[in-house]
Amino acid sequence: MCGHSSGMMGFPLRLLAREVYDRVRAIKGDKQVALITGEERIEPPDARYFLCTAEAMPRVSGQHAFVAIDEAQLGADPERGHIFTDRLMNVRGREETMILGSATLEPMVKALIPGAEITTRPRFSTLSHAGVCKLSRLPKRSAVVAFSVEQVYAMAEALRRFRGGAAVVMGALSPETRNKQVAMFQSGEVDYIVATDAIGMGLNLDLDHVAFAALSKFDGRRKRRLTPSEMAQIAGRAGRHQRDGTFGTLSGTGKGDPGEPLAFTDEEVYAVEEHKFAPLTHLFWRDATPRFDSLRTLIADLEARPDHAVLRAAPEAIDMAVLRRLADDDIGRSVRGAGSVRRFWEACSLPDFRNLGVEQHARFVARLWDDLAQGYLGADFVAARIAELDRMQGDIDTLQGRIAAIRSWAYICQRPDWVLARDEMAARARAVEAKLSDALHARLTERFVNRRTTLLMKSLGQDASALPVTLEPDGQLTVEGESIGRLEGFRFHVDPNAGVADRRMLLAAGEKALPALLAERADWLLSQGIAELEISGGAIRWQGRALADISFPGQPGAGNFGAPRLALSRDLALLPEAAKTKLEAGLTQWLDRQLEPLAPLRKLAEAARDPEAGSQARALVITLIEARGVISREDAGLEHLPKDMRPYLRKLGVTFGALDIFAAPLLKPAPRRLLHALGLDLRPVNDAMLPVLAEGGWAKGRLPAGYRYAGSQAIRVDLAEKILRAAFDGRAVAAALHPKERNRAFRVDLSLAVSIGLEAENARRLLGSAGFRCDKARTLPEGAFGPPAPDRWHWRPRRPQEQGRERDDRAADRRTDRAPQQRRARRDDRDRTERSAPDAAQAKGKPRDDKRPQRPARPGPKGPPRPVADTGPARAGGAFDKLADLLKG
């Protein structure tokens, strides 16, 4: 055609017309080439080359130098045959007319066009029968042909499971969707395509094998077996140019005759392989220029029989059936005049893109005619109908229905005398059809293509280093953009969305590429990501995953805190040995630096191994190490420690307090957090090691390490020692000023305790734990003025029987989990009972139990009695708090 000054070609499919249009436009330019189909019209004013569908092909002769009709053997098709027959008989070029078709058309051409020159083109490749094949063993670059939507979907789903997916081609798809599915197969993204017999016309594919899932189809009237020529038309898609192809059937997809497997007969195999088919004996014809005097005249002309021996009257097509249906209704009786009849026939010729059948399609045409009878369709009305279909939601069937509907409106918008603002409305309809086609292609791909599995099927036979697995910054492992899983730390997790059948394949693919990727990740971690490491739960962790468990050999008192052992986790099993050794060495160096806050504990451990320290000192040091730096005096066994060993222990950082013995450097936040993270101290830890914790600042029965109770609050033991030391200093000053007075009362300044956040009442209870008793000063009477008198303090250490009673109380508390308030109330009642017992005996005339002389009452100003200060011991006696927490841990 391009060798002539002008030309026109008619094609059976819109997609074929579009394909050739693009090729001719590349040669001649956009302004010289036109595309005319029922749903699309691109016609530049100076166009000389026209690519059309057969139905949209202008019925003219002599206007173009060259005319061609493709697939002219479709003149024997009951539905569309009369169109191709009319074009074959009546459309001619000035210089050349070319009829393209199967060799079976040769007798018809000779009968209808006696002077035609017959030229044949041999097939360069051979087509051979390959027998029956299972779907799971189907070779690559194969097409599976089925003849129902249900069977197409079943075959595509099976191929998705076995081979990663397949492209889908059906007549119900829009041309754009069909082209995109074919392009996916042609590009190698999938190796299989599942199609109906639509594959047999207009699709040139790189196929090696065509497998038939069925050999019979429903042709609109009945279910029948394919003819040999139809089999050859489909099987002929296999092989291209000089590359041979094969065809066969699939096992397990159905039965032919009862008891017989699906298979070709010997005669059918011979006909397909040798291209020997029965020639056509007739073509279908219908008058292409009927009269439009009336509907009856129109119907009579369309039903007229041809006068040529090889022509047969066309069976009733959908347009003729709609015309008959509406002609008998009121709408048909209102059609009068040649112009109105012609316009009505054009409306009835609207293709049934939705395949609704005669009744439903006739109703749609009737509604359309109601609007057309008034003149034109308004632009607003058409735009609203198009907008109703501009929705991308829904499944495959829903999108197919919308595409069929928008194709109807695209056809309507192409009519020059039907729609106002025709070009704008046609452009809108094409845009919506393109969007719907994209959405349908995406749904088909999503349902029937597992791109990830397809890529892995191609790559699993290769060397591991050639597998195209990429580690993304977010930890995703991808194969050419498709995720197969993710790395969490050094552990590979298969994509949770993968099916059961795909998990093994994905795991195998990941494990083949992981060693090299993990080695790179280990190098990056040691060089750039070392700051992301942390110690938690007795292990070194990264991104929440344990890399190595930390252990300290021997008993805790053996002093091996400076030489921990690392046991690499199973997450590093796939790491190459050299990279694993390097990573272990790097983690060991990092851990040594992190353990620096435990230097005081390491120093104590070295002293525990020193024979010159003496057994008593070593025993105390080991006890202090096992208690992780804090132990009460009652549990320390100080009665066995010679006093001359205390300076030695003080040099090691040990503080001998009034209530606790502790290593002050271990009360800082860093060592406490580290001991907890290493799992060496399971008690709760206060990250900031605040001086005072408010009531409720810790879990019930879980006082953080390094604290002791002080009434309703808790105080760090080193700060508690400062408060107690200040009280002892005040007592010493009073004793020095009055050496002759025994147990001289003294003052205690609570400003230090209050300044660090301890409430005054809780400070008194803390002092009470160390034996201090407070006599609160009398309050001034009402109306009196002056400074308040200070509280008076006495120190009375507990007697051995009281200490024993406290131990019993604490043991009972641990057994019954008694609340601290209950413990305190019980002790207060007991103390008040003991203090009031001598006074009660005297009041009854009984002698006092104690031998102390009674002091005469001192005269003093009358006023309100002194309030009784609650200076009993802090919660649980204070001495065993740490041990109880450690045992609970």
Side-chain angles (χ1 to χ4, degrees):
M1 182 178 68
C2 292
H4 293 79
S5 59
S6 61
M8 180 174 62
M9 294 184 68
F11 298 93
L13 298 174
R14 172 185 168 188
L15 63 88
L16 267 180
R18 182 76 194 207
E19 178 183 348
V20 179
Y21 165 76
D22 292 335
R23 294 174 61 183
V24 176
R25 189 179 56 171
I27 299 172
K28 297 295 184 178
D30 295 347
K31 296 181 179 181
Q32 300 292 318
V33 188
L35 174 67
I36 302 176
T37 69
E39 302 133 77
E40 188 174 10
R41 177 180 291 266
I42 303 174
E43 189 174 0
D46 299 328
R48 294 186 294 123
Y49 301 93
F50 294 80
L51 292 310
C52 319
T53 54
E55 286 80 356
M57 189 177 187
R59 192 173 179 274
V60 295
S61 296
Q63 292 187 4
H64 305 282
F66 174 86
V67 169
I69 302 170
D70 191 25
E71 302 290 354
Q73 75 276 5
L74 287 178
D77 180 73
E79 183 72 23
R80 304 172 62 199
H82 62 90
I83 300 292
F84 287 85
T85 301
D86 177 72
R87 304 303 185 265
L88 183 149
M89 295 176 61
N90 298 299
V91 180
R92 297 288 183 269
R94 291 194 311 269
E95 301 172 4
E96 183 178 5
T97 300
M98 184 175 290
I99 309 298
L100 305 174
S102 169
T104 58
L105 183 64
E106 182 177 350
M108 299 294 98
V109 172
K110 289 181 177 179
L112 295 173
I113 313 172
E117 177 184 352
I118 306 298
T119 303
T120 60
R121 293 285 186 266
R123 181 185 176 100
F124 294 132
S125 60
T126 60
L127 191 62
S128 57
H129 182 237
V132 181
C133 177
K134 291 183 178 180
L135 188 68
S136 59
R137 297 181 178 275
L138 197 65
K140 293 183 178 181
R141 310 308 295 170
S142 295
V144 176
V145 180
F147 296 97
S148 68
V149 174
E150 293 78 8
Q151 196 172 29
V152 167
Y153 288 171
M155 295 293 103
E157 188 67 36
L159 284 173
R160 183 185 186 277
R161 293 198 306 269
F162 292 135
R163 298 301 178 86
V168 175
V169 172
M170 297 183 293
L173 300 182
S174 67
E176 289 80 2
T177 305
R178 199 180 320 172
N179 286 343
K180 289 179 180 179
Q181 290 286 303
V182 170
M184 187 168 60
F185 174 81
Q186 290 292 89
S187 65
E189 187 173 343
V190 293
D191 284 323
Y192 303 92
I193 187 169
V194 181
T196 60
D197 52 351
I199 195 177
M201 187 177 299
L203 292 178
N204 297 316
L205 304 172
D206 292 325
L207 281 175
D208 295 333
H209 181 75
V210 172
F212 287 79
L215 292 175
S216 59
K217 72 171 185 177
F218 182 77
D219 62 2
R221 292 178 174 81
R222 61 185 177 88
K223 189 173 183 179
R224 60 174 178 82
R225 190 176 179 88
L226 299 175
T227 65
S229 61
E230 290 173 331
M231 295 176 181
Q233 181 78 16
I234 298 170
R237 299 299 99 185
R240 288 288 299 274
H241 194 52
Q242 296 183 354
R243 189 178 66 198
D244 296 338
T246 58
F247 69 97
T249 56
L250 288 176
S251 62
T253 59
K255 299 284 185 178
D257 296 331
E260 294 294 331
L262 181 68
F264 290 98
T265 64
D266 294 339
E267 293 78 5
E268 291 168 342
V269 171
Y270 173 79
V272 174
E273 288 183 343
E274 301 297 328
H275 306 291
K276 303 292 185 181
F277 309 110
L280 295 177
T281 59
H282 63 274
L283 298 178
F284 291 110
W285 175 90
R286 191 174 73 184
D287 190 356
T289 57
R291 294 169 295 170
F292 298 103
D293 299 339
S294 65
L295 290 182
R296 291 186 178 278
T297 302
L298 174 63
I299 294 174
D301 288 353
L302 293 175
E303 290 180 339
R305 294 186 174 277
D307 55 3
H308 199 288
V310 299
L311 299 179
R312 298 288 186 274
E316 186 177 72
I318 185 70
D319 54 357
M320 187 66 181
V322 170
L323 176 62
R324 282 180 172 278
R325 168 71 177 76
L326 296 180
D328 296 334
D329 288 350
D330 293 339
I331 190 174
R333 288 189 285 271
S334 64
V335 178
R336 298 286 186 272
S340 182
V341 171
R342 179 189 293 271
R343 191 177 175 86
F344 185 72
W345 169 236
E346 291 173 350
C348 293
S349 299
L350 174 68
D352 184 15
F353 293 108
R354 294 173 292 181
N355 292 321
L356 298 176
V358 175
E359 190 66 28
Q360 293 292 334
H361 188 56
R363 293 178 184 177
F364 180 76
V365 172
R367 290 194 301 270
L368 175 65
W369 176 251
D370 285 341
D371 297 321
L372 289 177
Q374 308 300 323
Y376 289 87
L377 296 177
D380 293 342
F381 173 79
V382 176
R385 303 291 79 73
I386 294 174
E388 290 173 355
L389 301 172
D390 191 7
R391 292 182 290 120
M392 306 304 119
Q393 299 80 15
D395 57 11
I396 292 175
D397 293 337
T398 301
L399 291 175
Q400 284 181 335
R402 290 193 190 124
I403 289 177
I406 198 64
R407 290 182 69 185
S408 297
W409 285 104
Y411 183 94
I412 292 170
C413 292
Q414 291 300 324
R415 300 295 303 179
D417 55 345
W418 283 10
V419 179
L420 293 174
R422 184 193 71 173
D423 294 339
E424 179 184 352
M425 294 300 105
R428 288 192 184 188
R430 288 196 302 269
V432 172
E433 182 182 356
K435 290 166 61 178
L436 289 170
S437 297
D438 291 341
L440 179 58
H441 172 69
R443 297 291 191 283
L444 290 170
T445 304
E446 179 181 352
R447 177 172 176 181
F448 298 122
V449 177
N450 189 334
R451 186 171 181 270
R452 177 174 56 196
T453 304
T454 303
L455 294 171
L456 294 178
M457 290 291 295
K458 297 177 180 179
S459 305
L460 283 179
Q462 303 176 8
D463 180 68
S465 60
L467 194 67
V469 178
T470 304
L471 178 60
E472 303 296 338
D474 60 351
Q476 292 284 343
L477 257 65
T478 60
V479 178
E480 296 186 10
E482 294 294 324
S483 175
I484 64 173
R486 64 177 293 108
L487 274 180
E488 293 182 2
F490 285 81
R491 188 177 185 85
F492 174 64
H493 293 272
V494 175
D495 186 357
N497 296 323
V500 176
D502 295 340
R503 291 184 65 85
R504 183 178 299 177
M505 183 185 302
L506 297 180
L507 187 60
E511 289 182 349
K512 289 181 70 175
L514 276 179
L517 294 175
L518 293 182
E520 295 178 4
R521 173 163 275 208
D523 290 340
W524 178 89
L525 181 61
L526 293 177
S527 60
Q528 303 179 41
I530 199 73
E532 299 180 11
L533 295 177
E534 62 178 0
I535 299 175
S536 176
I540 300 177
R541 298 180 181 273
W542 181 53
Q543 295 184 353
R545 304 286 307 182
L547 297 182
D549 293 326
I550 306 170
S551 61
F552 294 88
Q555 297 298 322
N560 293 323
F561 292 101
R565 289 181 181 175
L566 294 182
L568 298 182
S569 69
R570 295 179 59 185
D571 291 1
L572 303 175
L574 294 178
L575 194 64
E577 198 62 35
K580 188 183 299 183
T581 302
K582 182 179 178 182
L583 179 62
E584 184 175 6
L587 294 178
T588 302
Q589 294 178 3
W590 176 84
L591 181 60
D592 289 340
R593 295 192 298 271
Q594 302 304 308
L595 293 179
E596 291 177 359
L598 296 184
L601 195 60
R602 190 181 304 116
K603 189 176 181 180
L604 291 175
E606 293 173 357
R609 296 194 303 269
D610 186 3
E612 297 181 0
S615 61
Q616 298 88 348
R618 294 205 310 272
L620 177 60
V621 169
I622 290 175
T623 304
L624 193 61
I625 291 174
E626 291 178 345
R628 304 299 181 249
V630 180
I631 190 171
S632 66
R633 290 181 68 96
E634 297 177 5
D635 297 332
L638 290 180
E639 64 273 11
H640 305 296
L641 180 68
K643 290 188 177 181
D644 57 353
M645 292 303 299
R646 293 194 180 190
Y648 170 77
L649 294 176
R650 288 192 180 98
K651 291 180 180 180
L652 296 176
V654 178
T655 300
F656 292 86
L659 295 177
D660 302 287
I661 298 174
F662 55 89
L666 292 176
L667 295 177
K668 295 180 179 180
R672 297 270 32 124
R673 289 196 300 262
L674 187 56
L675 285 170
H676 185 75
L678 288 170
L680 298 176
D681 192 347
L682 299 180
R683 293 172 293 178
V685 62
N686 184 270
D687 289 339
M689 289 303 287
L690 298 174
V692 175
L693 300 181
E695 184 177 9
W698 61 90
K700 181 180 179 181
R702 299 283 292 169
L703 190 65
Y707 289 84
R708 70 161 34 254
Y709 287 111
S712 61
Q713 295 176 291
I715 186 171
R716 212 169 64 202
V717 294
D718 56 341
L719 295 176
E721 177 59 25
K722 287 185 178 182
I723 296 173
L724 296 173
R725 182 55 52 196
F728 277 111
D729 290 343
R731 175 176 174 269
V733 170
L737 294 176
H738 304 277
K740 295 182 179 181
E741 293 188 25
R742 183 184 177 189
N743 199 10
R744 172 75 180 183
F746 55 93
R747 299 178 183 179
V748 175
D749 187 2
L750 298 181
S751 59
L752 174 61
V754 174
S755 67
I756 64 176
L758 195 63
E759 297 175 2
E761 186 61 30
N762 290 330
R764 294 188 185 97
R765 297 201 59 80
L766 174 65
L767 291 169
S769 299
F772 292 93
R773 296 294 180 265
C774 176
D775 294 332
K776 299 200 72 172
R778 291 187 180 92
T779 58
L780 293 174
E782 186 176 358
F785 298 94
D791 295 339
R792 297 167 60 86
W793 289 83
H794 299 273
W795 181 70
R796 182 173 68 84
R798 296 184 186 182
R799 300 184 181 92
Q801 60 269 26
E802 292 178 353
Q803 296 177 1
R805 193 160 53 240
E806 291 291 345
R807 292 192 189 95
D808 295 341
D809 290 342
R810 286 193 298 271
D813 292 340
R814 285 194 296 272
R815 288 194 299 270
T816 62
D817 194 24
R818 190 175 292 153
Q821 292 80 359
Q822 295 174 328
R823 297 198 298 265
R824 183 171 63 189
R826 182 195 61 201
R827 295 190 187 97
D828 294 345
D829 292 342
R830 186 177 59 212
D831 291 343
R832 284 193 291 270
T833 301
E834 291 176 352
R835 288 197 296 269
S836 63
D839 298 334
Q842 187 177 11
K844 293 180 180 180
K846 296 181 180 180
R848 290 166 59 100
D849 292 340
D850 57 355
K851 304 300 182 181
R852 292 179 295 173
Q854 297 186 22
R855 295 180 181 179
R858 295 180 181 179
K862 294 183 178 181
R866 291 177 179 172
V868 179
D870 184 7
T871 56
R875 295 181 172 182
F880 284 80
D881 294 345
K882 300 305 294 179
L883 179 61
D885 290 340
L886 184 60
L887 292 175
K888 288 181 180 179

